[in-house]
Amino acid sequence: MMSKEQCLNFCFLSLCALLALLALGLFLWPVLRLCADATALFLKGEPLLLSLGRSLFFSLRLLALVLLLVVPIAFLIASQSYRRAGRRGLRAALGVLSWLPAVFLGFFARLLFARVLGDGMPAAALTLFLFMLPFLTVRFEDALRAVPEPIRRAGKMLGATERSILFRLIAPRAFGALGRALVLCTERILGEATALLMLHGVAPEGNMLSLELYRLISLQREDSLLLALFLALILCALRLAASYRWDGSPLLASAPSADSTRKRS
Amino acid sequence: MPAALSVSNLDLRYGKKEILRDLSLEILPGHILALIGPEEGGKSSLLRALNRMADEEGASYCGNILLNGESIFLKDAVTLRRAVGMVPPTPVLFRGTVFDNIVAGLRLQGQRNGGELRRLAEGALAQMGLTEEYTPLLGERADSLPLPARQMVAFLRALALEPELLLLDEPSRSLDAAGVAQMEEALCRIKGRCTVLLATNTLQQAGRIADETALLINGRIVEYGETAELFSNPREKQTEDYLTGRYYERASLSL
């Protein structure tokens, strides 16, 4: 007999498979045509694929730089704040920051970073860092707080330091949720266009994928659809990966909230 | 080395709520002291004060607790907890195998040497006379064990750290009769190797294994002395009432 949870998972996966088939049917033909057109253009010397490759390389470099900055700092803040009783103020501040419009952030970055650092990658990385820091911190904190409090208390009773409790007991148990937060962060960085557009506009070459798409569309090139599709597929794949429970627990099982685990304890 | 423990004039509060009042007792090294008394009497709070886990819940203290002559409040809490093991009433096991759980405390304290970990785990099993029963289980997943076995693993985990003082908070609450017997036998085996404070609701258990017994009611020690003496010849009327069950009759009548 299947449990209710298994039934739900089965229905969800069936729905996903159906949608995937539908999407495949809808997209496959135009994609094949676009690929053929793009190959023909490339063979004729058109630099579409070159531009795509260049923007992909730029995006990955920027992504790596931003993650390198934002992950340790977000984890550090979350590791300090997840067990504090008076963390409501910090959480509220992070919430407000995470909902700041990208336009505002881009404008701020243009006033500050672009003047100091110029229009290059460091300014873009700092802008995206500011954009992602509250988002990632809140998600990391939620992931750490979802680990039942008795686990932390048991670690303390065994004479463990806070650091060793965090790295040896809490973080391994929160691994799935931390991974999901990281993938969501990656997806948001790759999909972000507004803040970067405000920062230094669209360069003739070396843009994030999202901006490169904008550039190609503004050039009124029909084959830019290929890039749009490529970007959409990457973002969809990342969003799907973020919804997967990496720790092997059922896909649709609701994660116990930190409050409920505290009450139980 | 078993520790000597001395508690003098201890008051413990959570905010405005007073939990322990003017509590004093002494335990000789290697002895087993049973704390008996009704629910909410302060037994668990006293245990959590002794390894300063009560600090985590915002407790404030007045008075002093000396462990081997040194005030525990002058010690670093982490250093103190390395000398004072504790087994909570409900076992909390970590992910991994039974072996991983038994050596979890050692690993958390930075012990990495696999051979040394194995030796200490086997030492804890031998000390409790559980070698035959638990050695085949060492590779099993800890969360697949039944509740009584999980409680024994929690006990072994505390014991593997070779504590000077061991605090047991109703360790037999989740055990069946066989488990209780096994636990008491294990306690008798470790007697003399570490000082033990046992909070229990079972008078017979206190009578069977404790050298001394203290009765705690409403955060105060009503009577404290040798177990045999306290059980056979209680000095206080309240102790007599508690031992004979009349305490609960009166409590229900007063409601």
Side-chain angles (χ1 to χ4, degrees):
Chain A
M1 272 298 279
M2 284 171 87
S3 67
K4 191 181 165 193
E5 210 164 65
Q6 282 172 323
C7 277
L8 277 172
N9 278 337
F10 179 75
C11 293
F12 179 74
L13 288 174
S14 308
L15 194 68
C16 283
L18 200 70
L19 283 175
L21 276 175
L22 199 68
L24 208 66
L26 280 173
F27 282 109
L28 203 60
W29 178 243
V31 168
L32 284 175
R33 274 193 61 181
L34 281 169
C35 288
D37 289 351
T39 315
L41 285 169
F42 181 67
L43 290 174
K44 273 194 241 166
E46 285 286 332
L48 175 72
L49 289 180
L50 198 66
S51 124
L52 194 150
R54 205 160 34 211
S55 68
L56 186 62
F57 183 59
F58 180 87
S59 301
L60 290 179
R61 271 198 307 163
L62 187 56
L63 178 71
L65 192 58
V66 177
L67 288 181
L68 208 67
L69 285 172
V70 79
V71 172
I73 295 177
F75 189 78
L76 191 73
I77 298 174
S79 66
Q80 293 303 309
S81 63
Y82 82 103
R83 60 195 158 83
R84 294 273 162 86
R87 50 170 206 100
R88 276 190 194 155
L90 179 68
R91 195 175 169 92
L94 288 170
V96 169
L97 276 176
S98 68
W99 288 110
L100 270 186
V103 173
F104 174 81
L105 208 69
F107 179 68
F108 171 76
R110 189 181 183 96
L111 284 180
L112 191 71
F113 302 147
R115 285 190 183 181
V116 179
L117 300 166
D119 281 344
M121 190 177 283
L126 268 181
T127 309
L128 288 174
F129 164 76
L130 270 190
F131 189 57
M132 294 317 303
L133 185 66
F135 174 84
L136 197 61
T137 307
V138 168
R139 265 140 203 89
F140 274 176
E141 197 189 295
D142 285 345
L144 297 177
R145 278 177 61 78
V147 176
E149 178 64 14
I151 295 283
R152 201 174 81 85
R153 226 178 287 149
K156 289 221 138 192
M157 281 179 200
L158 292 168
T161 57
E162 282 294 349
R163 205 171 104 187
S164 118
I165 289 173
L166 177 68
F167 286 105
R168 292 184 160 263
L169 294 180
I170 307 285
R173 278 185 89 103
F175 177 76
L178 292 172
R180 280 198 295 280
L182 205 59
V183 174
L184 269 181
C185 173
T186 305
E187 185 244 2
R188 282 195 75 179
I189 291 172
L190 284 180
E192 179 51 35
T194 319
L196 294 177
L197 198 63
M198 287 296 292
L199 180 68
H200 53 58
V202 183
E205 56 183 40
N207 289 306
M208 280 289 274
L209 277 170
S210 49
L211 287 187
E212 184 64 11
L213 172 67
Y214 175 78
R215 187 180 75 84
L216 289 173
I217 287 173
S218 59
L219 287 176
Q220 295 191 328
R221 286 180 59 151
E222 285 181 6
D223 47 13
S224 59
L225 270 173
L226 179 66
L227 186 66
L229 197 66
F230 180 65
L231 180 61
L233 280 177
I234 292 179
L235 298 183
C236 282
L238 285 171
R239 186 49 73 102
L240 267 177
S243 70
Y244 179 66
R245 289 188 175 277
W246 295 8
D247 46 9
S249 54
L251 207 60
L252 288 182
S254 55
S257 70
D259 287 340
S260 67
T261 50
R262 260 155 218 266
K263 272 176 200 160
R264 275 205 302 277
S265 73
Chain B
M1 277 287 286
L5 182 76
S6 162
V7 181
S8 48
N9 309 107
L10 182 72
D11 291 347
L12 186 143
R13 288 169 174 274
Y14 288 109
K16 285 182 180 171
K17 192 176 177 192
E18 199 170 45
I19 305 294
L20 300 176
R21 275 175 288 174
D22 197 25
L23 193 144
S24 299
L25 52 86
E26 295 217 357
I27 313 171
L28 295 172
H31 279 220
I32 298 180
L33 172 79
L35 296 169
I36 57 170
E39 293 285 339
E40 309 284 322
K43 305 188 293 285
S44 300
S45 300
L46 173 60
L47 294 190
R48 287 203 298 275
L50 294 178
N51 67 351
R52 289 183 51 197
M53 282 302 289
D55 296 18
E56 303 286 313
E57 296 147 11
S60 57
Y61 309 89
C62 193
N64 208 353
I65 302 173
L66 302 177
L67 187 73
N68 289 330
E70 278 181 74
S71 170
I72 65 162
F73 301 112
L74 298 177
K75 282 189 172 185
D76 172 48
V78 171
T79 316
L80 172 75
R81 288 176 199 139
R82 290 183 177 187
V84 181
M86 184 170 186
V87 181
T90 315
V92 180
L93 297 189
F94 307 132
R95 279 182 182 167
T97 62
V98 171
F99 175 77
D100 290 335
N101 270 278
I102 294 175
V103 300
L106 297 159
R107 279 188 178 144
L108 283 168
Q109 290 182 14
Q111 175 69 257
R112 298 279 184 278
N113 186 328
E116 181 67 6
L117 290 175
R118 186 102 203 160
R119 190 187 65 76
L120 287 165
E122 282 168 0
L125 283 171
Q127 246 187 56
M128 288 179 62
L130 297 172
T131 308
E132 269 184 36
E133 197 180 336
Y134 277 78
T135 305
L137 296 178
L138 287 178
E140 297 281 317
R141 282 172 58 95
D143 52 12
S144 68
L145 295 178
L147 196 56
R150 290 161 66 95
Q151 182 68 322
M152 289 308 274
V153 172
F155 196 177
L156 284 163
R157 184 173 65 191
L159 213 59
L161 293 167
E162 298 176 342
E164 296 171 20
L165 174 65
L166 186 61
L167 310 172
L168 304 173
D169 192 358
E170 293 182 40
S172 46
R173 188 194 273 181
S174 51
L175 298 180
D176 51 12
V180 172
Q182 203 174 35
M183 170 80 70
E184 287 178 8
E185 196 189 322
L187 275 175
C188 291
R189 278 171 175 269
I190 61 168
K191 202 171 183 178
R193 294 184 196 169
C194 68
T195 310
V196 178
L197 238 88
L198 166 73
T200 179
N201 282 327
T202 321
L203 295 178
Q204 292 90 334
Q205 187 173 50
R208 282 192 296 267
I209 55 174
D211 298 303
E212 286 100 27
T213 298
L215 171 66
L216 253 93
I217 296 178
N218 294 331
R220 283 178 188 275
I221 288 195
V222 175
E223 195 169 339
Y224 160 58
E226 276 185 28
T227 303
E229 178 69 17
L230 187 137
F231 274 69
S232 59
N233 190 19
R235 290 192 305 272
E236 303 290 331
K237 177 86 175 75
Q238 222 173 358
T239 312
E240 195 182 326
D241 286 351
Y242 184 75
L243 294 175
T244 53
R246 282 200 290 271
Y247 172 83
Y248 290 105
E249 282 171 23
R250 285 189 185 161
S252 61
L253 278 177
S254 68
L255 285 174

